[in-house]
Amino acid sequence: MKHRTIRGTIQYTSKKPERLDRERGREYFSITTQSDGVKVLHAHCEIDDEPNVIRDVVLAMNTDSSPIDCSCRISVGDKYEGSGWMRFTDRYVECETHNQRDGRITQKIELAGRVKWLQSHPIVGDALLMRLYDLSQGPGKTFFPDLFLTSPDHRGATGPLLFKTGFGIRYVGEELITVKAGEFKARHFQVVDTAGNLPEEHPPYNLWCTADDDYLLLRAGAEGYMQTHYELIDYQIIEGGLS
């Protein structure tokens, strides 16, 4: 089997009344599935809200979305904030990073088993996280402990470093939705139970992804003080490197 790549663009907009539907950022991504089943996500993310955030992430994942390794670079206010590299095994996770607040950081954390997910903050990655939920149990909720973030900040604007957390995924069901990229059969999920696992509880977060094995992000939105909206506006599938 040859490798297969999905490339696309996600538009960030606001749902605040004074900025309703105004663009506030964008994300350019590619997800390549190799012949061995490993997925490699590349994401360039731009948040225009001051101080603006520019993030570049390369994350390799197993077929179940568990992380293999990740590199991340962050700029905040158009200035370097931090960069680093992380590697995951069945027994430990290791990290070498540098950031403006803490300087050079070396982390090695012993594990009881493989980490199920690394939240490196691209929006397209949020949909891949939904692979953790067992669809065979139907609509419902599952809590996942012992997950990791590259930043506990809601915008992913600090670090990078390894931050241990846990949260729940609620599966609502399938829906037919229309976004700027087209009409899709979608799975509707919610991220829940973040209280006590982050420095500040994340506002309610709804997400829709394709109802297939790609788990491609179609639409998402955070409520509360954030009132943000994310939408797939274009994409293409490239088989074996040829369009």
Side-chain angles (χ1 to χ4, degrees):
M1 183 183 74
K2 295 181 179 180
H3 66 275
R4 176 176 181 266
T5 298
I6 303 174
R7 292 178 182 166
T9 307
I10 296 170
Q11 183 182 49
Y12 302 177
T13 58
S14 176
K15 289 301 180 183
K16 294 181 179 179
E18 68 274 16
R19 302 179 61 193
L20 187 63
D21 296 332
R22 284 174 52 186
E23 186 174 36
R24 53 175 293 277
R26 61 217 54 86
E27 179 172 310
Y28 309 100
F29 69 86
S30 68
I31 305 168
T32 298
T33 303
Q34 301 175 172
S35 59
D36 60 359
V38 168
K39 292 183 183 293
V40 181
L41 165 65
H42 291 238
H44 174 78
C45 315
E46 301 176 357
I47 303 174
D48 298 337
D49 301 338
E50 296 295 335
N52 73 315
V53 179
I54 299 175
R55 183 190 313 103
D56 290 280
V57 171
V58 179
L59 171 63
M61 297 162 280
N62 293 298
T63 55
D64 60 358
S65 287
S66 61
I68 300 171
D69 55 67
C70 178
S71 61
C72 181
R73 190 183 195 280
I74 307 168
S75 294
V76 179
D78 285 321
K79 295 182 180 180
Y80 166 81
E81 179 66 23
S83 62
W85 171 83
M86 303 164 187
R87 182 167 87 73
F88 295 78
T89 75
D90 292 338
R91 296 179 291 108
Y92 62 88
V93 55
E94 58 183 336
C95 169
E96 289 289 339
T97 65
H98 176 275
N99 67 59
Q100 292 284 57
R101 187 189 70 179
D102 302 310
R104 179 69 177 265
I105 299 172
T106 298
Q107 294 173 281
K108 185 174 182 179
I109 302 171
E110 301 295 328
L111 304 172
R114 178 165 286 276
V115 172
K116 292 182 179 295
W117 178 251
L118 173 68
Q119 187 80 336
S120 53
H121 290 282
I123 298 299
V124 71
D126 293 352
L128 297 175
L129 162 64
M130 302 304 143
R131 287 179 175 272
L132 272 60
Y133 187 86
D134 181 4
L135 293 172
S136 68
Q137 66 186 20
K141 184 181 74 171
T142 302
F143 186 82
F144 296 92
D146 303 328
L147 308 179
F148 279 85
L149 310 175
T150 57
S151 167
D153 180 72
H154 293 171
R155 301 200 309 161
T158 60
L161 48 72
L162 287 169
F163 182 89
K164 190 175 181 181
T165 188
F167 46 79
I169 296 175
R170 176 181 287 122
Y171 176 48
V172 180
E174 291 192 354
E175 304 173 15
L176 188 67
I177 69 167
T178 300
V179 295
K180 291 181 180 179
E183 184 179 77
F184 298 85
K185 185 178 180 181
R187 296 183 184 128
H188 180 189
F189 292 93
Q190 298 171 332
V191 176
V192 297
D193 298 335
T194 64
N197 297 300
L198 294 172
E200 181 181 3
E201 182 177 4
H202 196 285
Y205 186 56
N206 284 270
L207 179 151
W208 290 259
C209 63
T210 53
D212 55 26
D213 199 47
D214 287 331
Y215 282 77
L216 178 62
L217 187 286
L218 298 173
R219 186 172 72 202
E223 301 174 17
Y225 81 93
M226 296 180 76
Q227 296 185 55
T228 51
H229 179 80
Y230 309 96
E231 187 169 333
L232 182 71
I233 62 173
D234 62 61
Y235 77 104
Q236 65 177 143
I237 298 175
I238 303 168
E239 301 285 353
L242 299 174
S243 59

